[in-house]
Amino acid sequence: MFAVAAVAALSLPVTPAAATPPGPPLAAACTPAQVVSGGDFESGTSSWTPSSTTVITSRAGQSAHGGSSFAWLDGTGGTHTDSLSQSVTIPSGCSSATLTFWLHIDTAETTSSTAYDKLTAKIGSTTLATYSNLNKATGYVQKSFDVSSFAGQTVSLAFSGTEDSSLQTSFVLDDIALNTSGDTAPPADSTRTPAAPAYTVSLSSDTAGTVWTGHESTTFTNASATPLTEVYLRLWDNYHGTCTAPPITVTNVTGGTAGALSVACTALRIALPTPLTQGQSTTIGFDLGITVPSGADRFGHDGAFNMIGNALPVLAVKDGSGWHLDPYTNNGESFYSLAADFKVTLDHPTSLSVPATGTSVDTPAPAAVR
């Protein structure tokens, strides 16, 4: 057989990322506050939305970290889900916003390697942490998270616990607090960054064109006066799958350290090895896998046709509002990225037609696959 390498090179003018606003915004005044209501659970369910009346309790079997009441999620020994949430408003202008809570986990599970039962802590659409039966402890352990990026927002603080069909795990929460403090935060930097992204992509397909694998890299510059310590890749088409079987996979990251997926697995944080100062450039790379699901959509296969819209990971944008990590929506367009250069090479069987810009070159496949 022969393979066709289709090279698509698209160069777009890069929009200047350092646009100057009409005038510097005024810094917001910091009013230190503790914004979680009823975090000690002594007032019952008045400030919380639990999945059942048994979640906030003082019943026997568990004990409080302080006082007499606590939140007890799961612990049934059967297939079960409990949840607990509260809407919180984090005031703007403070340099620090820290979420803390005390967590106790006990379990009848005996495994030391498999997370059968899990507790997830989230703020807004961001997953802060996931705990499991593997994190069991004899007493309470305090957990702490920097949530200062949510300043000026009203978001949901939520905990969700799930158990499988046997052997109980109890997730017990108490003394939940979100404290804001510190000097008045400086005005946010409105410069859009990372700027001038240039993507290089090389992908090979299976015979049907539904599976593509290869490598992608992107070079970018920090246009902001604020050092860049991280970037986010938007994996938009993971909306069309699940977090356990995402259609877009990123592995073997170079030039940074990959974190956990967030925003329904459509955002991947990459921590940079050293802060990128204004005007400095760097490159991150990764192996890329694309599996096109069934469906007549901008990303999906329908009969003999494969639509692969938005399949390539692109950099999220940071500006005066912080990182733009909006969720995917079918109602309009949630995609936001800066103009960029793309050099894309597609290697596929001759039987597969790929409409693309660029130059098509017939190349014999290696002897091993003929």
Side-chain angles (χ1 to χ4, degrees):
M1 86 179 235
F2 287 87
V4 174
V7 181
L10 174 62
S11 297
L12 297 176
V14 177
T15 303
T20 303
L26 297 176
C30 174
T31 303
Q34 196 293 107
V35 300
V36 172
S37 298
D40 58 4
F41 301 110
E42 300 303 313
S43 58
T45 62
S46 60
S47 302
W48 294 93
T49 302
S51 56
S52 73
T53 57
T54 61
V55 170
I56 297 177
T57 184
S58 58
R59 69 185 190 273
Q62 297 292 341
S63 59
H65 175 259
S68 60
S69 297
F70 47 89
W72 184 351
L73 283 72
D74 300 329
T76 67
T79 302
H80 187 76
T81 298
D82 276 328
S83 62
L84 181 70
S85 65
Q86 178 182 144
S87 178
V88 295
T89 299
I90 304 175
S92 60
C94 296
S95 60
S96 173
T98 304
L99 171 69
T100 58
F101 57 86
W102 290 85
L103 173 64
H104 168 61
I105 302 174
D106 74 52
T107 183
E109 302 282 3
T110 59
T111 179
S112 60
S113 59
T114 304
Y116 289 114
D117 311 315
K118 298 178 181 179
L119 174 76
T120 300
K122 297 180 69 174
I123 187 164
S125 61
T126 299
T127 297
L128 298 173
T130 299
Y131 308 99
S132 74
N133 49 280
L134 300 178
N135 304 115
K136 63 183 179 181
T138 54
Y140 277 91
V141 178
Q142 189 179 41
K143 306 297 182 180
S144 179
F145 300 92
D146 179 4
V147 294
S148 54
S149 61
F150 294 90
Q153 300 181 43
T154 297
V155 291
S156 174
L157 173 62
F159 301 88
S160 177
T162 59
E163 280 185 293
D164 69 352
S165 58
S166 65
L167 299 178
Q168 76 86 24
T169 298
S170 295
F171 301 101
V172 189
L173 295 159
D174 202 0
D175 294 329
I176 302 172
L178 200 165
N179 288 287
T180 62
S181 62
D183 296 330
T184 299
D189 187 346
S190 61
T191 303
R192 296 181 298 167
T193 198
Y199 299 91
T200 301
V201 185
S202 179
L203 295 172
S204 300
S205 79
D206 63 357
T207 56
T210 56
V211 177
W212 296 80
T213 56
H215 190 78
E216 178 176 338
S217 64
T218 177
T219 300
F220 54 88
T221 301
N222 180 19
S224 170
T226 304
L228 197 61
T229 61
E230 63 185 0
V231 294
Y232 282 86
L233 290 173
R234 297 313 310 262
L235 283 55
W236 286 114
D237 282 339
N238 277 348
Y239 169 85
H240 298 279
T242 65
C243 289
T244 55
I248 309 297
T249 59
V250 168
T251 56
N252 300 322
V253 174
T254 59
T257 303
L261 289 167
S262 60
V263 196
C265 296
T266 65
L268 177 64
R269 179 180 180 268
I270 307 292
L272 301 180
T274 57
L276 198 66
T277 60
Q278 188 174 34
Q280 285 188 322
S281 300
T282 193
T283 300
I284 59 172
F286 47 88
D287 292 336
L288 175 61
I290 301 171
T291 301
V292 185
S294 176
D297 208 322
R298 51 187 154 197
F299 181 64
H301 68 81
D302 184 24
F305 297 95
N306 292 282
M307 284 66 73
I308 318 182
N310 302 312
L312 297 181
V314 295
L315 292 167
V317 179
K318 183 182 182 183
D319 58 21
S321 300
W323 285 104
H324 287 265
L325 301 177
D326 307 288
Y328 184 103
T329 177
N330 272 324
N331 300 319
E333 302 288 342
S334 51
F335 318 117
Y336 173 32
S337 60
L338 299 185
D341 291 337
F342 284 84
K343 182 177 181 181
V344 181
T345 301
L346 303 176
D347 190 357
H348 58 85
T350 54
S351 58
L352 191 66
S353 297
V354 178
T357 60
T359 304
S360 179
V361 180
D362 288 333
T363 305
V369 297
R370 288 182 182 175

mmCIF file of all heavy atoms in Angstrom, residues 142-182:
data_model
loop_
_atom_site.group_PDB
_atom_site.id
_atom_site.type_symbol
_atom_site.label_atom_id
_atom_site.label_comp_id
_atom_site.label_asym_id
_atom_site.label_seq_id
_atom_site.Cartn_x
_atom_site.Cartn_y
_atom_site.Cartn_z
ATOM 1 N N GLN A 142 -6.119 18.158 57.877
ATOM 2 C CA GLN A 142 -6.551 19.413 57.268
ATOM 3 C C GLN A 142 -6.042 19.507 55.828
ATOM 4 O O GLN A 142 -4.875 19.213 55.538
ATOM 5 C CB GLN A 142 -6.055 20.622 58.048
ATOM 6 C CG GLN A 142 -6.670 21.926 57.551
ATOM 7 C CD GLN A 142 -6.200 23.141 58.324
ATOM 8 O OE1 GLN A 142 -5.026 23.249 58.663
ATOM 9 N NE2 GLN A 142 -7.122 24.066 58.612
ATOM 10 N N LYS A 143 -6.928 19.927 54.932
ATOM 11 C CA LYS A 143 -6.595 20.147 53.530
ATOM 12 C C LYS A 143 -6.685 21.648 53.242
ATOM 13 O O LYS A 143 -7.551 22.337 53.787
ATOM 14 C CB LYS A 143 -7.544 19.374 52.607
ATOM 15 C CG LYS A 143 -7.640 17.878 52.921
ATOM 16 C CD LYS A 143 -6.316 17.174 52.736
ATOM 17 C CE LYS A 143 -6.454 15.681 53.019
ATOM 18 N NZ LYS A 143 -5.151 14.973 52.848
ATOM 19 N N SER A 144 -5.804 22.135 52.369
ATOM 20 C CA SER A 144 -5.752 23.575 52.098
ATOM 21 C C SER A 144 -5.520 23.806 50.609
ATOM 22 O O SER A 144 -4.698 23.114 49.988
ATOM 23 C CB SER A 144 -4.624 24.219 52.909
ATOM 24 O OG SER A 144 -4.532 25.600 52.650
ATOM 25 N N PHE A 145 -6.242 24.799 50.032
ATOM 26 C CA PHE A 145 -6.150 25.087 48.609
ATOM 27 C C PHE A 145 -6.171 26.600 48.386
ATOM 28 O O PHE A 145 -6.967 27.323 48.999
ATOM 29 C CB PHE A 145 -7.314 24.451 47.841
ATOM 30 C CG PHE A 145 -7.370 22.956 47.973
ATOM 31 C CD1 PHE A 145 -8.124 22.384 48.981
ATOM 32 C CD2 PHE A 145 -6.655 22.144 47.115
ATOM 33 C CE1 PHE A 145 -8.171 21.006 49.129
ATOM 34 C CE2 PHE A 145 -6.696 20.770 47.250
ATOM 35 C CZ PHE A 145 -7.456 20.197 48.260
ATOM 36 N N ASP A 146 -5.307 27.049 47.502
ATOM 37 C CA ASP A 146 -5.294 28.454 47.083
ATOM 38 C C ASP A 146 -6.373 28.653 46.024
ATOM 39 O O ASP A 146 -6.313 28.073 44.939
ATOM 40 C CB ASP A 146 -3.924 28.811 46.518
ATOM 41 C CG ASP A 146 -3.835 30.262 46.034
ATOM 42 O OD1 ASP A 146 -4.816 31.003 46.220
ATOM 43 O OD2 ASP A 146 -2.789 30.624 45.471
ATOM 44 N N VAL A 147 -7.379 29.451 46.343
ATOM 45 C CA VAL A 147 -8.477 29.699 45.404
ATOM 46 C C VAL A 147 -8.558 31.190 45.070
ATOM 47 O O VAL A 147 -9.621 31.702 44.720
ATOM 48 C CB VAL A 147 -9.822 29.177 45.955
ATOM 49 C CG1 VAL A 147 -9.810 27.660 46.056
ATOM 50 C CG2 VAL A 147 -10.132 29.792 47.325
ATOM 51 N N SER A 148 -7.434 31.884 45.173
ATOM 52 C CA SER A 148 -7.428 33.327 44.924
ATOM 53 C C SER A 148 -7.789 33.674 43.488
ATOM 54 O O SER A 148 -8.228 34.799 43.210
ATOM 55 C CB SER A 148 -6.065 33.918 45.277
ATOM 56 O OG SER A 148 -5.017 33.244 44.599
ATOM 57 N N SER A 149 -7.640 32.720 42.559
ATOM 58 C CA SER A 149 -7.999 32.999 41.165
ATOM 59 C C SER A 149 -9.507 33.167 40.983
ATOM 60 O O SER A 149 -9.956 33.631 39.935
ATOM 61 C CB SER A 149 -7.494 31.876 40.259
ATOM 62 O OG SER A 149 -8.080 30.636 40.605
ATOM 63 N N PHE A 150 -10.291 32.815 42.004
ATOM 64 C CA PHE A 150 -11.753 32.950 41.922
ATOM 65 C C PHE A 150 -12.248 34.243 42.578
ATOM 66 O O PHE A 150 -13.454 34.414 42.741
ATOM 67 C CB PHE A 150 -12.426 31.741 42.569
ATOM 68 C CG PHE A 150 -12.195 30.449 41.852
ATOM 69 C CD1 PHE A 150 -11.106 29.656 42.166
ATOM 70 C CD2 PHE A 150 -13.037 30.036 40.829
ATOM 71 C CE1 PHE A 150 -10.868 28.470 41.501
ATOM 72 C CE2 PHE A 150 -12.817 28.851 40.151
ATOM 73 C CZ PHE A 150 -11.729 28.070 40.483
ATOM 74 N N ALA A 151 -11.328 35.133 42.942
ATOM 75 C CA ALA A 151 -11.726 36.386 43.580
ATOM 76 C C ALA A 151 -12.675 37.165 42.681
ATOM 77 O O ALA A 151 -12.497 37.228 41.461
ATOM 78 C CB ALA A 151 -10.493 37.222 43.899
ATOM 79 N N GLY A 152 -13.707 37.735 43.290
ATOM 80 C CA GLY A 152 -14.692 38.501 42.541
ATOM 81 C C GLY A 152 -15.772 37.648 41.904
ATOM 82 O O GLY A 152 -16.602 38.166 41.155
ATOM 83 N N GLN A 153 -15.799 36.353 42.227
ATOM 84 C CA GLN A 153 -16.776 35.455 41.610
ATOM 85 C C GLN A 153 -17.653 34.803 42.678
ATOM 86 O O GLN A 153 -17.249 34.623 43.821
ATOM 87 C CB GLN A 153 -16.074 34.344 40.820
ATOM 88 C CG GLN A 153 -15.182 34.830 39.696
ATOM 89 C CD GLN A 153 -14.535 33.683 38.955
ATOM 90 O OE1 GLN A 153 -15.173 32.668 38.658
ATOM 91 N NE2 GLN A 153 -13.251 33.816 38.646
ATOM 92 N N THR A 154 -18.859 34.444 42.266
ATOM 93 C CA THR A 154 -19.732 33.602 43.074
ATOM 94 C C THR A 154 -19.721 32.211 42.452
ATOM 95 O O THR A 154 -20.083 32.048 41.281
ATOM 96 C CB THR A 154 -21.162 34.158 43.122
ATOM 97 O OG1 THR A 154 -21.143 35.446 43.754
ATOM 98 C CG2 THR A 154 -22.078 33.234 43.905
ATOM 99 N N VAL A 155 -19.272 31.230 43.207
ATOM 100 C CA VAL A 155 -19.077 29.880 42.677
ATOM 101 C C VAL A 155 -19.651 28.870 43.652
ATOM 102 O O VAL A 155 -19.914 29.165 44.816
ATOM 103 C CB VAL A 155 -17.581 29.581 42.436
ATOM 104 C CG1 VAL A 155 -17.039 30.408 41.280
ATOM 105 C CG2 VAL A 155 -16.766 29.833 43.698
ATOM 106 N N SER A 156 -19.803 27.654 43.168
ATOM 107 C CA SER A 156 -20.291 26.565 44.007
ATOM 108 C C SER A 156 -19.108 25.831 44.630
ATOM 109 O O SER A 156 -18.157 25.457 43.933
ATOM 110 C CB SER A 156 -21.128 25.585 43.181
ATOM 111 O OG SER A 156 -21.478 24.451 43.960
ATOM 112 N N LEU A 157 -19.163 25.649 45.933
ATOM 113 C CA LEU A 157 -18.205 24.799 46.639
ATOM 114 C C LEU A 157 -18.899 23.468 46.856
ATOM 115 O O LEU A 157 -19.963 23.415 47.491
ATOM 116 C CB LEU A 157 -17.811 25.435 47.971
ATOM 117 C CG LEU A 157 -16.944 24.604 48.912
ATOM 118 C CD1 LEU A 157 -15.601 24.276 48.273
ATOM 119 C CD2 LEU A 157 -16.756 25.327 50.239
ATOM 120 N N ALA A 158 -18.342 22.394 46.315
ATOM 121 C CA ALA A 158 -19.087 21.132 46.289
ATOM 122 C C ALA A 158 -18.184 19.952 46.629
ATOM 123 O O ALA A 158 -17.003 19.913 46.268
ATOM 124 C CB ALA A 158 -19.717 20.919 44.912
ATOM 125 N N PHE A 159 -18.783 18.984 47.320
ATOM 126 C CA PHE A 159 -18.129 17.719 47.639
ATOM 127 C C PHE A 159 -19.056 16.597 47.192
ATOM 128 O O PHE A 159 -20.268 16.641 47.423
ATOM 129 C CB PHE A 159 -17.866 17.597 49.142
ATOM 130 C CG PHE A 159 -16.993 18.683 49.703
ATOM 131 C CD1 PHE A 159 -17.556 19.876 50.159
ATOM 132 C CD2 PHE A 159 -15.622 18.525 49.771
ATOM 133 C CE1 PHE A 159 -16.758 20.887 50.676
ATOM 134 C CE2 PHE A 159 -14.811 19.534 50.288
ATOM 135 C CZ PHE A 159 -15.380 20.712 50.735
ATOM 136 N N SER A 160 -18.480 15.579 46.549
ATOM 137 C CA SER A 160 -19.284 14.451 46.075
ATOM 138 C C SER A 160 -18.550 13.160 46.390
ATOM 139 O O SER A 160 -17.374 12.999 46.033
ATOM 140 C CB SER A 160 -19.519 14.560 44.563
ATOM 141 O OG SER A 160 -20.238 13.438 44.082
ATOM 142 N N GLY A 161 -19.241 12.253 47.082
ATOM 143 C CA GLY A 161 -18.649 10.968 47.436
ATOM 144 C C GLY A 161 -19.382 9.826 46.777
ATOM 145 O O GLY A 161 -20.618 9.808 46.745
ATOM 146 N N THR A 162 -18.646 8.870 46.246
ATOM 147 C CA THR A 162 -19.251 7.702 45.592
ATOM 148 C C THR A 162 -18.653 6.422 46.161
ATOM 149 O O THR A 162 -17.446 6.343 46.420
ATOM 150 C CB THR A 162 -19.020 7.721 44.074
ATOM 151 O OG1 THR A 162 -17.610 7.743 43.805
ATOM 152 C CG2 THR A 162 -19.666 8.929 43.435
ATOM 153 N N GLU A 163 -19.509 5.438 46.379
ATOM 154 C CA GLU A 163 -19.082 4.114 46.831
ATOM 155 C C GLU A 163 -19.458 3.068 45.791
ATOM 156 O O GLU A 163 -20.468 3.209 45.089
ATOM 157 C CB GLU A 163 -19.791 3.745 48.130
ATOM 158 C CG GLU A 163 -19.209 4.358 49.384
ATOM 159 C CD GLU A 163 -19.929 3.824 50.613
ATOM 160 O OE1 GLU A 163 -21.124 4.130 50.777
ATOM 161 O OE2 GLU A 163 -19.303 3.099 51.396
ATOM 162 N N ASP A 164 -18.653 2.002 45.721
ATOM 163 C CA ASP A 164 -19.024 0.895 44.840
ATOM 164 C C ASP A 164 -19.935 -0.065 45.608
ATOM 165 O O ASP A 164 -20.472 0.268 46.660
ATOM 166 C CB ASP A 164 -17.778 0.217 44.267
ATOM 167 C CG ASP A 164 -16.979 -0.555 45.310
ATOM 168 O OD1 ASP A 164 -17.301 -0.447 46.510
ATOM 169 O OD2 ASP A 164 -16.019 -1.253 44.926
ATOM 170 N N SER A 165 -20.079 -1.276 45.103
ATOM 171 C CA SER A 165 -21.138 -2.162 45.579
ATOM 172 C C SER A 165 -20.860 -2.850 46.907
ATOM 173 O O SER A 165 -21.749 -3.497 47.464
ATOM 174 C CB SER A 165 -21.428 -3.220 44.512
ATOM 175 O OG SER A 165 -20.241 -3.968 44.221
ATOM 176 N N SER A 166 -19.633 -2.758 47.432
ATOM 177 C CA SER A 166 -19.357 -3.466 48.675
ATOM 178 C C SER A 166 -18.269 -2.766 49.466
ATOM 179 O O SER A 166 -17.497 -1.970 48.913
ATOM 180 C CB SER A 166 -18.928 -4.910 48.384
ATOM 181 O OG SER A 166 -17.701 -4.934 47.676
ATOM 182 N N LEU A 167 -18.196 -3.056 50.765
ATOM 183 C CA LEU A 167 -17.167 -2.561 51.672
ATOM 184 C C LEU A 167 -17.199 -1.032 51.778
ATOM 185 O O LEU A 167 -16.766 -0.324 50.891
ATOM 186 C CB LEU A 167 -15.775 -3.051 51.244
ATOM 187 C CG LEU A 167 -15.578 -4.563 51.241
ATOM 188 C CD1 LEU A 167 -14.181 -4.912 50.744
ATOM 189 C CD2 LEU A 167 -15.823 -5.139 52.626
ATOM 190 N N GLN A 168 -17.686 -0.561 52.921
ATOM 191 C CA GLN A 168 -17.927 0.863 53.114
ATOM 192 C C GLN A 168 -16.651 1.683 53.154
ATOM 193 O O GLN A 168 -15.606 1.234 53.612
ATOM 194 C CB GLN A 168 -18.729 1.085 54.403
ATOM 195 C CG GLN A 168 -17.935 0.940 55.705
ATOM 196 C CD GLN A 168 -17.222 2.211 56.134
ATOM 197 O OE1 GLN A 168 -17.610 3.330 55.766
ATOM 198 N NE2 GLN A 168 -16.152 2.069 56.913
ATOM 199 N N THR A 169 -16.777 2.932 52.692
ATOM 200 C CA THR A 169 -15.791 3.982 52.949
ATOM 201 C C THR A 169 -16.552 5.231 53.364
ATOM 202 O O THR A 169 -17.478 5.654 52.677
ATOM 203 C CB THR A 169 -14.936 4.286 51.711
ATOM 204 O OG1 THR A 169 -14.202 3.121 51.337
ATOM 205 C CG2 THR A 169 -13.946 5.417 52.011
ATOM 206 N N SER A 170 -16.176 5.787 54.506
ATOM 207 C CA SER A 170 -16.814 6.997 55.021
ATOM 208 C C SER A 170 -15.896 8.189 54.807
ATOM 209 O O SER A 170 -14.704 8.139 55.145
ATOM 210 C CB SER A 170 -17.110 6.852 56.516
ATOM 211 O OG SER A 170 -18.070 5.839 56.753
ATOM 212 N N PHE A 171 -16.453 9.254 54.213
ATOM 213 C CA PHE A 171 -15.741 10.515 54.035
ATOM 214 C C PHE A 171 -16.403 11.535 54.972
ATOM 215 O O PHE A 171 -17.566 11.892 54.773
ATOM 216 C CB PHE A 171 -15.823 10.985 52.584
ATOM 217 C CG PHE A 171 -15.243 10.000 51.594
ATOM 218 C CD1 PHE A 171 -16.076 9.171 50.847
ATOM 219 C CD2 PHE A 171 -13.873 9.899 51.422
ATOM 220 C CE1 PHE A 171 -15.556 8.281 49.939
ATOM 221 C CE2 PHE A 171 -13.335 9.000 50.507
ATOM 222 C CZ PHE A 171 -14.172 8.187 49.765
ATOM 223 N N VAL A 172 -15.669 11.983 55.971
ATOM 224 C CA VAL A 172 -16.240 12.844 57.006
ATOM 225 C C VAL A 172 -15.552 14.213 56.944
ATOM 226 O O VAL A 172 -14.328 14.314 57.023
ATOM 227 C CB VAL A 172 -16.059 12.217 58.400
ATOM 228 C CG1 VAL A 172 -16.844 13.021 59.434
ATOM 229 C CG2 VAL A 172 -16.517 10.764 58.395
ATOM 230 N N LEU A 173 -16.363 15.261 56.783
ATOM 231 C CA LEU A 173 -15.879 16.631 56.642
ATOM 232 C C LEU A 173 -16.313 17.475 57.832
ATOM 233 O O LEU A 173 -17.411 17.285 58.373
ATOM 234 C CB LEU A 173 -16.440 17.261 55.363
ATOM 235 C CG LEU A 173 -15.995 16.653 54.033
ATOM 236 C CD1 LEU A 173 -16.988 17.020 52.934
ATOM 237 C CD2 LEU A 173 -14.598 17.140 53.674
ATOM 238 N N ASP A 174 -15.451 18.432 58.203
ATOM 239 C CA ASP A 174 -15.831 19.350 59.273
ATOM 240 C C ASP A 174 -14.981 20.614 59.173
ATOM 241 O O ASP A 174 -13.917 20.629 58.534
ATOM 242 C CB ASP A 174 -15.624 18.693 60.643
ATOM 243 C CG ASP A 174 -16.473 19.338 61.737
ATOM 244 O OD1 ASP A 174 -17.210 20.298 61.430
ATOM 245 O OD2 ASP A 174 -16.402 18.880 62.880
ATOM 246 N N ASP A 175 -15.477 21.675 59.797
ATOM 247 C CA ASP A 175 -14.770 22.954 59.901
ATOM 248 C C ASP A 175 -14.236 23.429 58.550
ATOM 249 O O ASP A 175 -13.033 23.626 58.358
ATOM 250 C CB ASP A 175 -13.637 22.852 60.926
ATOM 251 C CG ASP A 175 -14.186 22.648 62.338
ATOM 252 O OD1 ASP A 175 -15.294 23.143 62.612
ATOM 253 O OD2 ASP A 175 -13.504 21.994 63.143
ATOM 254 N N ILE A 176 -15.166 23.603 57.610
ATOM 255 C CA ILE A 176 -14.843 24.092 56.270
ATOM 256 C C ILE A 176 -14.819 25.621 56.303
ATOM 257 O O ILE A 176 -15.750 26.252 56.817
ATOM 258 C CB ILE A 176 -15.867 23.592 55.242
ATOM 259 C CG1 ILE A 176 -15.911 22.061 55.239
ATOM 260 C CG2 ILE A 176 -15.535 24.117 53.848
ATOM 261 C CD1 ILE A 176 -17.028 21.483 54.383
ATOM 262 N N ALA A 177 -13.758 26.221 55.777
ATOM 263 C CA ALA A 177 -13.637 27.681 55.791
ATOM 264 C C ALA A 177 -12.969 28.165 54.515
ATOM 265 O O ALA A 177 -12.165 27.447 53.910
ATOM 266 C CB ALA A 177 -12.838 28.144 57.006
ATOM 267 N N LEU A 178 -13.314 29.378 54.103
ATOM 268 C CA LEU A 178 -12.649 30.022 52.972
ATOM 269 C C LEU A 178 -12.333 31.447 53.403
ATOM 270 O O LEU A 178 -13.221 32.287 53.490
ATOM 271 C CB LEU A 178 -13.525 29.990 51.724
ATOM 272 C CG LEU A 178 -12.814 30.174 50.386
ATOM 273 C CD1 LEU A 178 -13.728 29.768 49.229
ATOM 274 C CD2 LEU A 178 -12.325 31.603 50.167
ATOM 275 N N ASN A 179 -11.062 31.677 53.705
ATOM 276 C CA ASN A 179 -10.628 32.963 54.239
ATOM 277 C C ASN A 179 -9.937 33.798 53.175
ATOM 278 O O ASN A 179 -9.089 33.299 52.427
ATOM 279 C CB ASN A 179 -9.669 32.735 55.403
ATOM 280 C CG ASN A 179 -10.377 32.212 56.642
ATOM 281 O OD1 ASN A 179 -11.097 32.944 57.307
ATOM 282 N ND2 ASN A 179 -10.194 30.924 56.925
ATOM 283 N N THR A 180 -10.306 35.072 53.120
ATOM 284 C CA THR A 180 -9.621 36.018 52.243
ATOM 285 C C THR A 180 -8.857 37.005 53.117
ATOM 286 O O THR A 180 -9.315 37.393 54.186
ATOM 287 C CB THR A 180 -10.607 36.778 51.350
ATOM 288 O OG1 THR A 180 -11.496 37.544 52.165
ATOM 289 C CG2 THR A 180 -11.403 35.816 50.488
ATOM 290 N N SER A 181 -7.677 37.391 52.632
ATOM 291 C CA SER A 181 -6.856 38.299 53.418
ATOM 292 C C SER A 181 -5.786 38.893 52.527
ATOM 293 O O SER A 181 -5.759 38.665 51.314
ATOM 294 C CB SER A 181 -6.200 37.550 54.595
ATOM 295 O OG SER A 181 -5.340 36.531 54.106
ATOM 296 N N GLY A 182 -4.878 39.642 53.126
ATOM 297 C CA GLY A 182 -3.739 40.168 52.387
ATOM 298 C C GLY A 182 -3.944 41.585 51.936
ATOM 299 O O GLY A 182 -5.027 42.176 52.061
#
